[in-house]
Amino acid sequence: MTQDAKIKYAAVGCGGMGRRHLRGFGALHHSSMANMQLVAAVDTNLEAAQFYASEAHDLYGIEVRAFASVAEMKAGMPDVQAVDVTTDTGSHHRAVLACLEQDLHVLCEKPLAITTGACDLLLAEASRRHRVLSVAENFRRDPINRLIRALIDDGAIGEPRLMIETTIGGADRIVITPWRHMKHTGAITLDEGVHHADMLRYYLGEVATVYGETRLHEKVRHNTRSSGPGGFYARYVNSFPDTIEPTGEDAIYAHLRFERGTVAHWVNDHAGHGRGQSGRFVYGSKGSIDSPGDRNGKPVTLHLTGHDPISGAEILQYAPSYRLEPLAAELFGGERVWTYEFEFNATDAKIMALELFELGECIRTGATPEVSGEEGRRDVALTYAAFESGRLGRPVTLDELLQASHGPAYEYQAEIDRQIGLL
Ligand SMILES: NC(=O)c1ccc[n+]([C@@H]2O[C@H](COP(=O)([O-])OP(=O)(O)OC[C@H]3O[C@@H](n4cnc5c(N)ncnc54)[C@H](O)[C@@H]3O)[C@@H](O)[C@H]2O)c1
């Protein structure tokens, strides 16, 4: 594609994840299917936008203009058609709305917004203006998760009966940034938990009911000066306080029933001391699947009754429908990749390239993105289901959660909406 035919876009939010998305642009830029051109960087902290622009120049030799607001950017560069929003979670509803109001198509980092009510604002505006609203939910785009989904759909383990989704760790450390521990800016259980809500739904379809509880275990957290995923936060950690007093819950414990009848046990505990755990297992009427986790490229293991565990290339026989889309096949080395070996940052960038590419294709063809605004909203609703169930002391249905403030299960989220001025 010629440079002129590419869709010009701006990065909005130039912190840790924004800089990871810049590497995603790089992976797309160097592929044979580059369809997006980064031309601007916007951050309310202009220094962050300028640093991002200088990194873009150093890494890819491109000219990126820095701005402190989307309105200034659009006024100065009217041919920009799209934005890639990676502002902190609690600001998504404001940042994305500002972009939609400028008639820009949007790719927004997960979670789409801090409550389902905040998501509704964005869905309504995107629909009114006929703009693409896509959510950057990266775990499901890992080829290994595509393979697992095909194994389930193709009946490799028979009828799924149980999924166990577990994340335990974190102790009393500040996880990545202080804002991830505050209820009104996107607590870690929303910020990280929403990935797992998406994986549960991606593997097994829609959830019917949730019974759960949440906790705020750690009342004080400490800055361990960790450089965070991919090392991108080293630049910021010295500006964080030594200790913080969290207001947002750090653990979800939930029992789910899917519409298809499968149940799931979901633990998302970021206050775990002792032995950390991270596991994802699906059990069915003929066998089980062990996921190796996300973005590490390790093989999946299939256990079938009466067979030795299967984790080599022969696993592909059990997933005949498995095919990666063309750009994923190019970036990961084949249509039916069952394992890969790349550094974390390289894998991360390839997956983000897929998200950016899809945005460009949706703008060009009018197609709906895989994780549309509505899908992203459902992930937020599922994440909050255990919060609302715990408040009400009863199971809640996902339908109740999807009714947002009009429904009977919106106590916890209503408190956030009041605090941020939406109710
Ligand atoms: N998918 C993943 O694997 C993954 C990983 C990390 C973060 N994330 C998501 O990315 C988002 C950003 O996280 P982060 O760790 O980079 O946060 P961060 O705090 O490092 O960076 C956020 C940046 O946004 C800027 N900002 C805030 N409001 C803005 C606005 N209205 N307009 C423009 N800029 C604004 C801030 O100044 C800051 O530079 C979060 O939603 C988070 O959930 C996703």
Side-chain angles (χ1 to χ4, degrees):
M1 186 176 277
T2 63
Q3 199 66 5
D4 281 351
K6 291 180 188 169
I7 291 165
K8 294 187 175 59
Y9 82 96
V12 178
C14 300
M17 194 53 174
R19 291 173 55 217
R20 286 167 63 185
H21 275 234
L22 174 59
R23 276 73 180 170
F25 163 76
L28 178 59
H29 184 63
H30 289 134
S31 77
S32 70
M33 297 176 73
N35 62 348
M36 302 281 289
Q37 186 60 41
L38 175 66
V39 294
V42 181
D43 199 298
T44 42
N45 172 2
L46 184 60
E47 187 276 328
Q50 287 165 340
F51 180 75
Y52 187 101
S54 69
E55 263 199 327
H57 185 267
D58 294 348
L59 290 169
Y60 310 116
I62 57 170
E63 296 307 320
V64 170
R65 286 175 63 187
F67 296 91
S69 78
V70 168
E72 282 172 56
M73 181 276 295
K74 187 67 179 163
M77 303 183 81
D79 53 351
V80 170
Q81 288 186 56
V83 285
D84 176 17
V85 178
T86 61
T87 68
D88 46 279
T89 291
S91 66
H92 282 185
H93 59 288
R94 289 190 306 275
V96 173
L97 206 56
C99 296
L100 291 170
E101 284 167 358
Q102 297 290 335
D103 272 333
L104 293 157
H105 298 284
V106 176
L107 170 65
C108 177
E109 257 302 334
K110 46 49 61 179
L112 174 58
I114 191 162
T115 59
T116 42
C119 292
D120 285 338
L121 283 180
L122 307 183
L123 285 168
E125 194 64 14
S127 158
R128 200 166 74 78
R129 291 177 182 267
H130 304 290
R131 298 296 94 177
V132 176
L133 179 57
S134 176
V135 180
E137 195 39 270
N138 46 351
F139 284 23
R140 62 162 70 198
R141 293 183 194 269
D142 181 337
I144 303 302
N145 282 323
R146 299 294 206 208
L147 170 59
I148 294 176
R149 166 72 185 265
L151 285 165
I152 295 170
D153 286 357
D154 292 346
I157 57 167
E159 185 51 34
R161 293 173 176 171
L162 168 69
M163 178 162 168
I164 303 174
E165 178 77 24
T166 309
T167 308
I168 306 176
D172 61 356
R173 299 186 284 277
I174 294 176
V175 182
I176 313 181
T177 52
W179 62 256
R180 285 178 166 82
H181 298 287
M182 303 299 168
K183 179 174 176 175
H184 65 286
T185 52
I188 188 70
T189 35
L190 170 68
D191 195 66
E192 206 280 334
V194 75
H195 281 301
H196 302 272
D198 189 66
M199 290 311 303
L200 286 154
R201 295 184 56 249
Y202 177 62
Y203 278 11
L204 293 169
E206 206 49 272
V207 170
T209 59
V210 178
Y211 185 51
E213 295 185 63
T214 58
R215 293 283 187 279
L216 198 183
H217 288 300
E218 299 295 337
K219 307 299 188 292
V220 176
R221 284 186 181 257
H222 302 272
N223 183 354
T224 56
R225 303 202 153 56
S226 155
S227 55
F232 287 100
Y233 296 82
R235 189 163 192 264
Y236 318 107
V237 286
N238 287 326
S239 65
F240 300 160
D242 288 336
T243 57
I244 58 167
E245 294 181 12
T247 56
E249 278 68 355
D250 49 26
I252 292 174
Y253 307 107
H255 176 93
L256 281 58
R257 184 165 57 76
F258 290 84
E259 286 179 354
R260 68 196 293 169
T262 312
V263 298
H265 287 174
W266 181 22
V267 174
N268 193 257
D269 185 339
H270 297 275
H273 291 257
R275 183 167 165 245
Q277 291 223 40
S278 161
R280 183 177 298 139
F281 307 94
V282 189
Y283 287 84
S285 54
K286 291 186 351 197
S288 71
I289 294 169
D290 295 1
S291 156
D294 308 295
R295 298 168 293 180
N296 60 36
K298 292 185 180 149
V300 182
T301 307
L302 176 64
H303 300 266
L304 297 177
T305 313
H307 285 66
D308 288 339
I310 301 159
S311 57
E314 67 270 32
I315 201 164
L316 294 172
Q317 294 166 22
Y318 297 86
S321 71
Y322 173 52
R323 293 272 177 299
L324 294 177
E325 67 254 44
L327 181 59
E330 175 177 324
L331 296 175
F332 284 93
E335 264 196 325
R336 282 167 60 77
V337 165
W338 58 274
T339 183
Y340 59 81
E341 278 186 42
F342 302 108
E343 296 279 321
F344 173 81
N345 285 343
T347 303
D348 198 42
K350 289 173 196 292
I351 293 175
M352 284 176 243
L354 299 173
E355 296 168 345
L356 276 172
F357 173 76
E358 189 202 42
L359 174 69
E361 285 304 283
C362 289
I363 295 170
R364 199 175 60 77
T365 65
T368 302
E370 174 173 333
V371 187
S372 61
E374 180 53 35
E375 276 293 302
R377 179 180 186 272
R378 284 172 178 269
D379 289 339
V380 171
L382 176 55
T383 309
Y384 277 121
F387 289 72
E388 305 295 359
S389 168
R391 283 291 179 91
L392 296 172
R394 64 164 174 84
V396 292
T397 64
L398 200 69
D399 283 344
E400 286 176 322
L401 267 290
L402 290 170
Q403 291 168 43
S405 60
H406 305 292
Y410 204 73
E411 280 190 18
Y412 184 88
Q413 292 184 84
E415 290 167 5
I416 300 174
D417 281 353
R418 269 183 222 110
Q419 198 162 355
I420 62 175
L422 293 189
L423 271 186

